[in-house]
Structure formats: structure tokens, C-alpha cells
Amino acid sequence: MLFLSQREEQPKRAEAPITLHDAKTGISVTLPPGWRAEPGTPDTDAYRNKRPCPDNARETCFDGAVTVFFTTAQNIDEAAGSFRATLEKLAKDNKSSLRLVKQDSSPVGGHPARSLRFAEQSGQQNSHTQVTVIELRAQSKVIRQFAVIHLRTLDSAVPAPVIDQILRSVTVDRPSPSPSPSPSPSASPGSGSPSPRANS
């Protein structure tokens, strides 16, 4: 006689979202489940499905990346324009096409902000890159301090609306005094240096 039994599967535990917090800017960002802060990277960097590239052409591939860092400028439009110029130069250097698809001046975390979203195509890969500049406070009579949230998503894995979901989670506390500016973005989506070094 043959007895068949159904093995009881253990229910999977819900994956908790992670929150990045940058004490120097006061910015906190909550990311959807599946994003990870990787060992050995700043605690203001996180990735979705970071992995070695299969073709070994680049050091790192990922489905999404987010970084929070600090910069200064005379005004918010100058800060946003500087990052736009940096991204356009990177796209040109990487022989990829970059197209501005959305501009937004909605506040983020109750602070004035400028958001620029770009669609990028590199070979067969389509991705979205967004820079959101958030005004924090005056540093002097002519210089103001800003937090920058830099997001990148691979379209085939992370829908672009996830960017809006992440931005809705942003809160802004009082930043620590006199942080030093961080470097600008240094690579396009999926490349070997996947995010700007934050507050290093």
C-alpha cells in the first residue's frame, strides 16, 4: 500500500524594507524589499540585485542603485544643472543616449527640491536615472547646502514608478554641522563604479 503525504511548506517571512540614513545631511530614505546595503560600501549606498557581470566586461551589474550624498551651490538650479551636465558627459563618454523625460519642482521631505529624470539606452539595455536635489540650509550669504539622492533602475527589472515610491519615503532631519561636499556621480547604470561615493 502506498501512502502519499503533502509536505507542509514553511511560510516565507516577509522581507523588511531597509532605510538609509545620512547623518551629515539628515536624509533618510526607505527602500522597497529586495534592496540591500552591500558590505564594504558606504551606509548611504544600496542596490537591488547587485551581482558580478556575466560577461566580465564590467566589475558590477545591478538592477537598481541609490545613493545619498551632500553638495553645495549658490542655488538649487545651479546644483541640479551641475549634475545634469555630469550625467550628460558620462553618457557621451559611454556612447549611450540620454534623454530628459521629466522635471519636477515638488518639495521632498518638506524641503524645496528639483528632480531630473533621464531615460538612457546603452546597447540593448534601457534604464532610468534620476537626480533629486534637496535644499537643506544656508552655509554662507552666497552658498547653500543640498542633499542629493541619485537613483538608477534597469527598466527590465525595476519599473520607473519605483523611483517615485522611494522619493515619497524621504524624511529630512537636522543635518550635522559643516559636512564636506561629496563627489558627483561617476558612472552610468550598470557600470563598474555603480554609485557616487557618499560623504567620504
Side-chain angles (χ1 to χ4, degrees), residues 25-36:
T25 62
I27 293 287
S28 294
V29 182
T30 300
L31 303 174
W35 294 69
R36 291 280 179 268

Side-chain angles (χ1 to χ4, degrees), residues 83-162:
F83 283 99
R84 177 176 182 173
T86 298
L87 292 172
E88 289 173 341
K89 182 180 185 303
L90 287 170
K92 183 178 180 180
D93 292 345
N94 292 326
K95 296 180 172 58
S96 59
S97 65
L98 189 73
R99 179 171 54 90
L100 180 66
V101 294
K102 183 179 179 181
Q103 298 185 72
D104 192 1
S105 297
S106 300
V108 174
H111 286 241
R114 295 288 186 277
S115 293
L116 302 174
R117 186 176 301 179
F118 301 88
E120 184 169 4
Q121 183 172 11
S122 179
Q124 299 300 312
Q125 177 176 291
N126 296 316
S127 59
H128 276 84
T129 298
Q130 177 154 325
V131 172
T132 295
V133 180
I134 304 169
E135 185 168 335
L136 299 175
R137 61 181 177 179
Q139 178 169 300
S140 67
K141 289 183 178 179
V142 295
I143 298 296
R144 304 195 69 80
Q145 297 180 349
F146 301 92
V148 181
I149 302 174
H150 185 211
L151 291 135
R152 281 167 291 174
T153 60
L154 185 65
D155 291 359
S156 61
V158 183
V162 171

Side-chain angles (χ1 to χ4, degrees), residues 178-197:
S178 301
S180 300
S182 305
S184 299
S186 57
S188 59
S191 66
S193 301
S195 61
R197 296 278 60 85

Side-chain angles (χ1 to χ4, degrees), residues 10-84:
Q10 294 294 325
K12 292 183 178 180
R13 296 181 60 183
E15 200 169 14
I18 66 167
T19 298
L20 303 181
H21 177 70
D22 181 18
K24 291 183 178 180
T25 62
I27 293 287
S28 294
V29 182
T30 300
L31 303 174
W35 294 69
R36 291 280 179 268
E38 295 290 327
T41 62
D43 58 9
T44 49
D45 288 8
Y47 304 85
R48 187 182 184 279
N49 195 21
K50 183 179 178 182
R51 61 196 182 279
C53 291
D55 56 4
N56 293 320
R58 297 180 302 276
E59 179 183 345
T60 305
C61 287
F62 51 86
D63 295 337
V66 60
T67 299
V68 181
F69 57 104
F70 171 84
T71 193
T72 58
Q74 292 188 13
N75 56 63
I76 196 167
D77 292 320
E78 178 186 277
S82 173
F83 283 99
R84 177 176 182 173

